[in-house]
Amino acid sequence: MIETLAPKAPDPLLKIIKMFREDPRTDKIDLGVGVYKDATGNTPVMRAVKDAEALLLAQQKTKTYVGQQGDVDFLRLVGQLAFGEMSRDFVSIQAVGGTGALRLGCDLLRESGAGRIALPQPCWPNHPAIVRAARLEPVEVPFFNIADQRIDMDTLIAGLARTGRGDAVILQACCHNPLGADFSLEQWKTLADALDARGVIPFVDLAYQGFGDGVDEDVAGARALLERVPEAVIAVSEAKSFGVYRERVGALYVKTAEKARAAAMSNLAAIARANYSMPPDHGAAIVREVLSDEALRASWREELDRIRAHIKRTRAALAAERVNSIPMHLIAAQKGMFSTLPLNEAQVTALREEHGIYMTDAARINVAGLREADIPRFVEALRAVA
Ligand SMILES: Cc1ncc(COP(=O)(O)O)c(C=O)c1O
């Protein structure tokens, strides 16, 4: 039977990564890969993470399984960081990265009777795949105009009519991937009211806390929404905020009525048990150590502040440039690592083939991948194609 399987197309980003690697030009620029890069083009291990790992190495006495829920101190500390006091009432479970949390959340929603998940477009390209893998139907809802780089709330809310009571919508909490365009506080409140009125459950995806305006600022909107709705599902990834990508650090939180919490928890445990049984420990233990130790926490905050300042400087430098049809000035107001430029596939191909500048086919650029010294050449290339 296995021999009858048809091959699947590889992730388009992997194709770009391969082409970049094989490009012999020494002045090529990689804006494709979605990891933070410092001014020298590296993705270093954060100092606080290294220190926490040293502590773990010295102190860890066993490698026996962590419990079914995962590291409960990690869950409490991450919950507090993301949602403050209200997190005490959330059901939580550790997950295999933010992706694993998204999948757990989708499985839970399906178990609770959801059929469709709205995905404001464009979305993170893995969202539809996760939704489908959980046997839910992804519903594409337009919400962003790439040409003028603006969120269209009316279109988004009108599009939610295609979901029903008990269905959900995935909303990125901050530093939207691939747009960099975040909802304002007012827009979060408008969304909360619209979702509450329709009985549609917000599924918040928080993957870049601290990369936009600050650790608290980045979650202010999502907190306002979570305060206003009776039920919500939230997937958290700490891959970026702690630079622990490969350690697969994530968690799922669920807001529901007190009487429903035990059942929600037992469903999550059953889903996880049949999937990977117990979560991995190391990455969550690192994050727990960093957040629970005052000095490590301060060191982490300081390094995160520098990461954010670096991204903001690059955004400001790009926004100061004028490029024909691209509203460059709006790039400064956008948040986090990504922006999506109004370029068609032919323009993206020309940038790659003629200028050695790599981005995704949908023209998403990783702002953090752009070194200061490369900005003039990047802007010149944009002017040549746009
Ligand atoms: C919007 C968004 N959500 C979730 C994730 C998942 O992150 P991970 O599974 O690496 O923790 C990512 C990673 O790129 C992302 O961009």
Side-chain angles (χ1 to χ4, degrees):
M1 282 301 281
I2 296 171
E3 66 187 6
T4 65
L5 282 174
K8 297 254 189 216
D11 187 316
L13 191 57
L14 299 181
K15 179 193 76 184
I16 307 280
I17 292 169
K18 183 165 179 287
M19 280 198 280
F20 180 81
R21 204 182 306 126
E22 290 170 0
D23 186 336
R25 286 173 284 191
T26 52
D27 60 351
K28 59 190 176 178
I29 300 176
D30 178 15
L31 306 179
V33 179
V35 299
Y36 172 76
K37 293 186 191 170
D38 65 15
T40 59
N42 293 316
T43 307
V45 182
M46 293 175 101
R47 215 176 43 241
V49 167
K50 275 279 183 210
D51 291 347
E53 287 188 304
L55 280 175
L56 289 172
L57 187 64
Q59 291 169 3
Q60 199 172 53
K61 292 197 176 60
T62 180
K63 291 282 186 195
T64 186
Y65 294 115
V66 291
Q68 179 74 77
Q69 192 187 359
D71 184 327
V72 290
D73 289 327
F74 159 83
L75 290 167
R76 179 178 47 76
L77 289 158
V78 167
Q80 180 79 31
L81 187 74
F83 321 110
E85 286 310 302
M86 81 174 116
S87 64
R88 284 207 217 157
D89 293 334
F90 293 177
V91 171
S92 62
I93 188 166
Q94 203 185 310
V96 185
T99 305
L102 285 162
R103 178 61 195 272
L104 275 174
C106 283
D107 282 339
L108 185 79
L109 286 164
R110 193 198 58 245
E111 290 293 315
S112 73
R116 313 180 106 197
I117 307 282
L119 299 173
Q121 297 295 306
C123 62
W124 182 44
N126 210 13
H127 279 152
I130 297 167
V131 168
R132 273 192 222 99
R135 287 179 286 121
L136 290 162
E137 185 191 342
V139 177
E140 294 190 359
V141 177
F143 99 112
F144 190 77
N145 183 315
I146 291 179
D148 60 15
Q149 297 280 304
R150 294 203 193 276
I151 290 174
D152 181 345
M153 283 300 282
D154 293 341
T155 305
L156 171 56
I157 288 174
L160 292 174
R162 293 171 56 211
T163 53
R165 198 156 278 279
D167 287 342
V169 56
I170 295 186
L171 301 167
Q172 294 191 36
C174 61
C175 307
H176 189 283
N177 179 7
L179 301 173
D182 289 347
F183 296 117
S184 67
L185 194 57
E186 276 320 300
Q187 287 172 327
W188 277 108
K189 290 179 181 165
T190 306
L191 264 174
D193 294 342
L195 294 175
D196 197 20
R198 287 167 201 264
V200 175
I201 299 171
F203 190 163
V204 177
D205 180 3
L206 172 60
Y208 298 91
Q209 188 175 6
F211 270 52
D213 286 331
V215 168
D216 292 320
E217 292 83 345
D218 288 354
V219 285
R223 284 184 184 185
L225 169 123
L226 292 170
E227 273 161 11
R228 288 165 105 99
V229 294
E231 292 199 313
V233 180
I234 312 114
V236 180
S237 164
E238 297 299 5
K240 320 292 180 323
S241 306
F242 288 80
V244 286
Y245 305 85
R246 64 172 65 172
E247 302 296 355
R248 315 306 299 128
V249 188
L252 187 80
Y253 295 83
V254 177
K255 175 175 179 176
T256 187
E258 192 173 359
K259 61 179 186 329
R261 287 180 203 151
M265 186 65 235
S266 65
N267 271 270
L268 286 172
I271 294 164
R273 181 78 173 138
N275 191 348
Y276 51 83
S277 189
M278 307 283 176
D281 174 59
H282 187 66
I286 293 169
V287 170
R288 181 199 67 219
E289 288 298 313
V290 172
L291 290 178
S292 57
D293 179 293
E294 213 176 301
L296 290 183
R297 194 181 176 109
S299 157
W300 166 69
R301 284 289 286 250
E302 191 258 330
E303 198 161 345
L304 189 57
D305 288 350
R306 273 193 281 125
I307 287 173
R308 188 171 57 253
H310 172 224
I311 295 173
K312 277 193 180 286
R313 264 197 316 280
T314 309
R315 285 194 173 279
L318 283 176
E321 302 288 347
R322 293 292 155 263
V323 180
N324 318 328
S325 56
I326 305 180
M328 298 291 283
H329 62 289
L330 295 176
I331 292 178
Q334 292 173 351
K335 305 282 161 45
M337 296 206 294
F338 305 111
S339 285
T340 294
L341 303 178
L343 299 172
N344 59 34
E345 249 184 272
Q347 291 167 315
V348 170
T349 305
L351 281 168
R352 188 169 62 235
E353 291 180 354
E354 291 160 30
H355 303 273
I357 295 171
Y358 287 73
M359 60 187 68
T360 70
D361 289 341
R364 182 195 80 171
I365 58 167
N366 176 7
V367 177
L370 189 58
R371 290 182 310 159
E372 201 182 337
D374 288 332
I375 292 175
R377 206 167 73 71
F378 175 58
V379 171
E380 271 318 304
L382 280 182
R383 286 189 186 125
V385 304

